[in-house]
Amino acid sequence: MDDLRGKLDARLPAALAAGVTVAAGLGVRAVAGGEFAKCAGDALYTVLLYTLVLLFAPRARPARAAVWAAALSWAVELFQLTGLPDAWGRSSTLARLVLGSTFNPPDLLWYLVGAGGAVLLHRVARTVRPASPGEAA
């Protein structure tokens, strides 16, 4: 039972962060448009991948999770050069959301911004933990 609780305790923050990230992405799209929404969406895509890396590997160090998230983002972006994501996205909203459509070199930079931002937020969140029961405030 303690093992299950430990696994849930380690993964719950990552799952919650993934939900917040998706909500942030939808919020940006709802209130902003144009280049800002696109760049924010690219960065948030990598933040979401960062949270998913931590969901599956909760003991991963922030820098390592960021490298994986950025690498996965870059891999998806480079995969767009094949034309397959664009073709698949025409018949599947999910494919379009996950894989995008066309290669855009500036996206590679925004993925790095997202990875760096995720590490920064993760480190800040680690330092702002509530006191455990029985701990002095």
Side-chain angles (χ1 to χ4, degrees):
M1 184 67 165
D2 286 338
D3 188 42
L4 177 61
R5 173 174 267 209
K7 287 180 181 180
L8 289 176
D9 286 348
R11 287 180 167 89
L12 183 59
L16 292 173
V20 168
T21 303
V22 169
L26 294 172
V28 166
R29 289 296 243 188
V31 300
E35 197 63 24
F36 175 79
K38 183 180 179 341
C39 295
D42 290 340
L44 287 169
Y45 181 86
T46 302
V47 173
L48 179 60
L49 290 176
Y50 180 90
T51 66
L52 295 176
V53 167
L54 291 177
L55 188 64
F56 289 101
R59 287 187 168 82
R61 294 186 185 277
R64 183 164 288 203
V67 167
W68 273 103
L72 291 168
S73 298
W74 277 44
V76 169
E77 189 70 27
L78 293 172
F79 182 54
Q80 292 171 356
L81 289 169
T82 67
L84 291 173
D86 186 40
W88 296 340
R90 289 187 204 139
S91 60
S92 169
T93 301
L94 181 61
R96 189 173 62 253
L97 289 172
V98 172
L99 299 174
S101 58
T102 55
F103 178 75
N104 186 24
D107 291 354
L108 300 173
L109 170 67
W110 290 107
Y111 297 143
L112 297 177
V113 169
V119 169
L120 182 64
L121 287 172
H122 188 176
R123 289 188 174 155
V124 167
R126 282 181 161 180
T127 61
V128 187
R129 285 192 179 155
S132 300
E135 274 186 348

mmCIF file of all heavy atoms in Angstrom, residues 11 14 50-60:
data_model
loop_
_atom_site.group_PDB
_atom_site.id
_atom_site.type_symbol
_atom_site.label_atom_id
_atom_site.label_comp_id
_atom_site.label_asym_id
_atom_site.label_seq_id
_atom_site.Cartn_x
_atom_site.Cartn_y
_atom_site.Cartn_z
ATOM 1 N N ARG A 11 3.683 11.075 -8.800
ATOM 2 C CA ARG A 11 3.119 11.354 -10.124
ATOM 3 C C ARG A 11 1.987 12.380 -10.122
ATOM 4 O O ARG A 11 1.729 13.006 -11.143
ATOM 5 C CB ARG A 11 2.650 10.045 -10.753
ATOM 6 C CG ARG A 11 3.808 9.183 -11.200
ATOM 7 C CD ARG A 11 3.344 7.878 -11.823
ATOM 8 N NE ARG A 11 4.427 7.223 -12.503
ATOM 9 C CZ ARG A 11 5.263 6.359 -11.930
ATOM 10 N NH1 ARG A 11 5.127 6.070 -10.649
ATOM 11 N NH2 ARG A 11 6.231 5.795 -12.623
ATOM 12 N N ALA A 14 2.857 15.923 -11.335
ATOM 13 C CA ALA A 14 3.087 15.951 -12.785
ATOM 14 C C ALA A 14 1.761 15.893 -13.540
ATOM 15 O O ALA A 14 1.572 16.605 -14.531
ATOM 16 C CB ALA A 14 4.001 14.804 -13.206
ATOM 17 N N TYR A 50 7.280 17.896 -20.979
ATOM 18 C CA TYR A 50 8.065 17.870 -19.739
ATOM 19 C C TYR A 50 7.256 17.215 -18.617
ATOM 20 O O TYR A 50 7.753 16.343 -17.909
ATOM 21 C CB TYR A 50 8.457 19.301 -19.367
ATOM 22 C CG TYR A 50 9.271 19.450 -18.115
ATOM 23 C CD1 TYR A 50 10.653 19.408 -18.164
ATOM 24 C CD2 TYR A 50 8.674 19.666 -16.879
ATOM 25 C CE1 TYR A 50 11.420 19.564 -17.017
ATOM 26 C CE2 TYR A 50 9.418 19.823 -15.735
ATOM 27 C CZ TYR A 50 10.790 19.773 -15.801
ATOM 28 O OH TYR A 50 11.545 19.923 -14.655
ATOM 29 N N THR A 51 5.997 17.640 -18.464
ATOM 30 C CA THR A 51 5.159 17.055 -17.407
ATOM 31 C C THR A 51 4.908 15.574 -17.667
ATOM 32 O O THR A 51 4.854 14.787 -16.727
ATOM 33 C CB THR A 51 3.822 17.801 -17.260
ATOM 34 O OG1 THR A 51 3.035 17.638 -18.436
ATOM 35 C CG2 THR A 51 4.026 19.271 -16.954
ATOM 36 N N LEU A 52 4.775 15.196 -18.932
ATOM 37 C CA LEU A 52 4.552 13.784 -19.249
ATOM 38 C C LEU A 52 5.801 12.953 -18.986
ATOM 39 O O LEU A 52 5.695 11.805 -18.522
ATOM 40 C CB LEU A 52 4.086 13.632 -20.696
ATOM 41 C CG LEU A 52 2.719 14.252 -21.009
ATOM 42 C CD1 LEU A 52 2.398 14.128 -22.499
ATOM 43 C CD2 LEU A 52 1.621 13.633 -20.155
ATOM 44 N N VAL A 53 6.975 13.519 -19.253
ATOM 45 C CA VAL A 53 8.222 12.819 -18.908
ATOM 46 C C VAL A 53 8.245 12.560 -17.407
ATOM 47 O O VAL A 53 8.547 11.452 -16.950
ATOM 48 C CB VAL A 53 9.461 13.627 -19.348
ATOM 49 C CG1 VAL A 53 10.736 13.072 -18.722
ATOM 50 C CG2 VAL A 53 9.587 13.639 -20.868
ATOM 51 N N LEU A 54 7.904 13.575 -16.610
ATOM 52 C CA LEU A 54 7.904 13.407 -15.154
ATOM 53 C C LEU A 54 6.791 12.472 -14.678
ATOM 54 O O LEU A 54 6.937 11.817 -13.649
ATOM 55 C CB LEU A 54 7.791 14.758 -14.463
ATOM 56 C CG LEU A 54 9.015 15.654 -14.606
ATOM 57 C CD1 LEU A 54 8.759 17.001 -13.954
ATOM 58 C CD2 LEU A 54 10.248 14.998 -14.028
ATOM 59 N N LEU A 55 5.715 12.403 -15.419
ATOM 60 C CA LEU A 55 4.642 11.477 -15.064
ATOM 61 C C LEU A 55 5.126 10.034 -15.195
ATOM 62 O O LEU A 55 4.839 9.200 -14.349
ATOM 63 C CB LEU A 55 3.425 11.728 -15.953
ATOM 64 C CG LEU A 55 2.146 10.986 -15.602
ATOM 65 C CD1 LEU A 55 1.630 11.407 -14.241
ATOM 66 C CD2 LEU A 55 1.085 11.267 -16.655
ATOM 67 N N PHE A 56 5.887 9.772 -16.248
ATOM 68 C CA PHE A 56 6.378 8.416 -16.484
ATOM 69 C C PHE A 56 7.703 8.127 -15.780
ATOM 70 O O PHE A 56 8.034 6.973 -15.537
ATOM 71 C CB PHE A 56 6.497 8.143 -17.983
ATOM 72 C CG PHE A 56 5.164 8.019 -18.650
ATOM 73 C CD1 PHE A 56 4.635 9.076 -19.367
ATOM 74 C CD2 PHE A 56 4.411 6.863 -18.526
ATOM 75 C CE1 PHE A 56 3.387 8.981 -19.963
ATOM 76 C CE2 PHE A 56 3.160 6.752 -19.113
ATOM 77 C CZ PHE A 56 2.648 7.813 -19.832
ATOM 78 N N ALA A 57 8.467 9.172 -15.475
ATOM 79 C CA ALA A 57 9.751 9.022 -14.784
ATOM 80 C C ALA A 57 9.833 10.079 -13.681
ATOM 81 O O ALA A 57 10.562 11.056 -13.806
ATOM 82 C CB ALA A 57 10.899 9.166 -15.766
ATOM 83 N N PRO A 58 9.070 9.895 -12.597
ATOM 84 C CA PRO A 58 8.961 10.938 -11.579
ATOM 85 C C PRO A 58 10.268 11.283 -10.864
ATOM 86 O O PRO A 58 10.382 12.339 -10.282
ATOM 87 C CB PRO A 58 7.921 10.389 -10.604
ATOM 88 C CG PRO A 58 7.876 8.930 -10.854
ATOM 89 C CD PRO A 58 8.253 8.733 -12.281
ATOM 90 N N ARG A 59 11.251 10.410 -10.928
ATOM 91 C CA ARG A 59 12.526 10.696 -10.263
ATOM 92 C C ARG A 59 13.527 11.406 -11.185
ATOM 93 O O ARG A 59 14.648 11.680 -10.785
ATOM 94 C CB ARG A 59 13.133 9.408 -9.724
ATOM 95 C CG ARG A 59 12.391 8.886 -8.513
ATOM 96 C CD ARG A 59 13.110 7.693 -7.900
ATOM 97 N NE ARG A 59 12.601 7.350 -6.606
ATOM 98 C CZ ARG A 59 11.529 6.621 -6.377
ATOM 99 N NH1 ARG A 59 10.815 6.169 -7.380
ATOM 100 N NH2 ARG A 59 11.152 6.345 -5.148
ATOM 101 N N ALA A 60 13.108 11.690 -12.406
ATOM 102 C CA ALA A 60 14.009 12.364 -13.349
ATOM 103 C C ALA A 60 14.349 13.757 -12.830
ATOM 104 O O ALA A 60 13.491 14.467 -12.312
ATOM 105 C CB ALA A 60 13.356 12.469 -14.722
#
